[in-house]
Amino acid sequence: MRKIYAFALFVAMTFLSVSCDTCCNNGKVRLLYWNFQNGMWSGQADNYDAFVKFVNEQNPDICVWCEAQSIFKTGTAEKCDTADRYLVANMDKLAARYGHKYVYIGGHRDNYPQAITARYPIENVERIVGAMPDSVVSHGAGWAKIKVAGRTLNFVTAHTWPQRYTFGLPKDDAARAASAAENGGDHYRRLEIEYITKHTIATDPNAAENDWIFLGDLNSRTIVDNELNGHNWPADDTRWLAQNYILENTPYVDIVREKHPGVPLSTTYGASRIDYVYLTPALVPFVKRADIIKDEYTTPVKAEGVSNFYYPSDHLPIVVDFDFNK
């Protein structure tokens, strides 16, 4: 009898443990996204203490990190030896410090993966990566699912090509200059977005009614920011191409702009908004907050003597709060 009781108690505790992962949030879910620059480049010097403190203060349920691999040593542009790269290999250890026990690394073909960490199990659907001509993806992308609050959230993470010239050119200054003059990078980013979209949300005939989140450093501008951000570029400017594809071919809603109409927005050290969180209409009514976080810690500070590096990052984080009790 005691053995039966003990077994029943074990089953009950196991059930409660699993249920806690999926139900104890009371329907409220916080998403934190950040391109934290070269595997949190600035965090290596203090063992990531300031970073972990920031994340714990935000108390997210799900995090998406862009540029999640350690590449350079803090304070320098000197590359880390492969064996000395703390991330992404130790993402589970870092995530545990802010209360996340599940980790997912998206597909990547170079040093710039995206990582998802969460309080809830993460299911891989597809790591989107490949070589030309089978895939035009430059860094990589991922499609994962997380079940939370009785819903299945489809996460699509991406980090698109950043340069003015097109992807895949040899290290030939003349070729790259010629491509940049023709805005080759803008055209390439549009191809990447189309490829990623066709391999994710476009496979769902009822996407608008289902829960999709597309987010990342998309290295491109949206025409909806044109006047608000003071760009005043023509409607046919190639800088709109990638974001126009999303606006014209998917049901996605730019949730940060949706929550902040009529004001300038930037996700970088300057006046550029190139990081986005897109949601399908099914999710929009449940969003209580969608903010770019610029505070004492996250405000980018230029690193002296190191080209294009900032403390703690050259990008700003984005937080989105859902309340599925509505």
Side-chain angles (χ1 to χ4, degrees), residues 34-297:
W34 196 5
N35 178 336
F36 58 18
Q37 187 186 240
N38 297 321
M40 183 40 60
W41 171 76
S42 66
Q44 298 169 100
D46 71 346
N47 192 33
Y48 304 94
D49 288 346
F51 169 73
V52 170
K53 180 176 182 289
F54 165 75
V55 179
N56 278 320
E57 288 171 348
Q58 296 301 315
N59 194 28
D61 299 289
I62 302 168
C63 294
V64 177
W65 309 122
C66 194
E67 294 193 14
Q69 180 149 269
S70 305
I71 305 174
F72 304 98
K73 298 178 181 178
T74 296
T76 76
E78 181 184 350
K79 289 190 175 182
C80 298
D81 292 337
T82 302
D84 295 333
R85 293 178 175 179
Y86 185 73
L87 299 179
V88 291
N90 293 292
M91 183 62 73
D92 57 337
K93 296 182 179 66
L94 184 61
R97 293 172 62 184
Y98 54 81
H100 288 191
K101 65 178 181 178
Y102 299 101
V103 174
Y104 169 81
I105 308 301
H108 62 103
R109 63 193 301 178
D110 58 9
N111 290 323
Y112 297 97
Q114 306 96 53
I116 303 175
T117 71
R119 303 188 194 278
Y120 324 106
I122 308 169
E123 174 192 349
N124 173 56
V125 180
E126 183 178 0
R127 290 182 171 91
I128 303 170
V129 65
M132 294 287 283
D134 300 321
S135 172
V136 297
V137 175
S138 59
H139 295 320
W143 173 9
K145 292 184 179 182
I146 298 177
K147 293 182 179 180
V148 58
R151 308 179 76 95
T152 299
L153 306 181
N154 290 274
F155 280 86
V156 180
T157 68
H159 182 192
T160 62
W161 180 242
Q163 306 296 345
R164 287 190 62 197
Y165 54 84
T166 194
F167 175 71
L169 292 179
K171 292 182 178 180
D172 182 320
D173 290 342
R176 292 184 175 185
S179 176
E182 297 175 347
N183 303 310
D186 292 332
H187 292 279
Y188 197 86
R189 278 181 284 279
R190 190 259 183 209
L191 287 175
E192 279 195 90
I193 292 294
E194 179 180 359
Y195 185 93
I196 294 167
T197 297
K198 286 184 174 180
H199 282 74
T200 55
I201 192 171
T203 66
D204 181 359
N206 300 309
E209 291 77 42
N210 291 326
D211 298 340
W212 286 85
I213 302 171
F214 178 34
L215 70 174
D217 177 1
L218 303 183
N219 277 312
S220 49
R221 312 297 182 87
T222 175
I223 198 167
V224 301
D225 286 349
N226 194 17
E227 295 181 4
L228 293 170
N229 276 21
H231 301 314
N232 298 313
W233 297 327
D236 61 352
D237 196 292
T238 59
R239 281 169 284 200
W240 311 132
L241 286 173
Q243 297 305 307
N244 276 354
Y245 185 87
I246 297 172
L247 296 174
E248 295 167 4
N249 296 278
T250 78
Y252 281 130
V253 175
D254 176 355
I255 194 60
V256 176
R257 174 51 73 196
E258 182 86 359
K259 289 293 183 180
H260 298 277
V263 298
L265 295 172
S266 172
T267 62
T268 66
Y269 58 86
S272 300
R273 186 164 77 107
I274 57 176
D275 301 84
Y276 301 87
V277 178
Y278 281 105
L279 309 177
T280 43
L283 285 171
V284 172
F286 301 103
V287 176
K288 299 302 180 183
R289 174 192 179 200
D291 291 337
I292 299 165
I293 305 174
K294 189 174 185 180
D295 59 19
E296 184 177 358
Y297 171 66

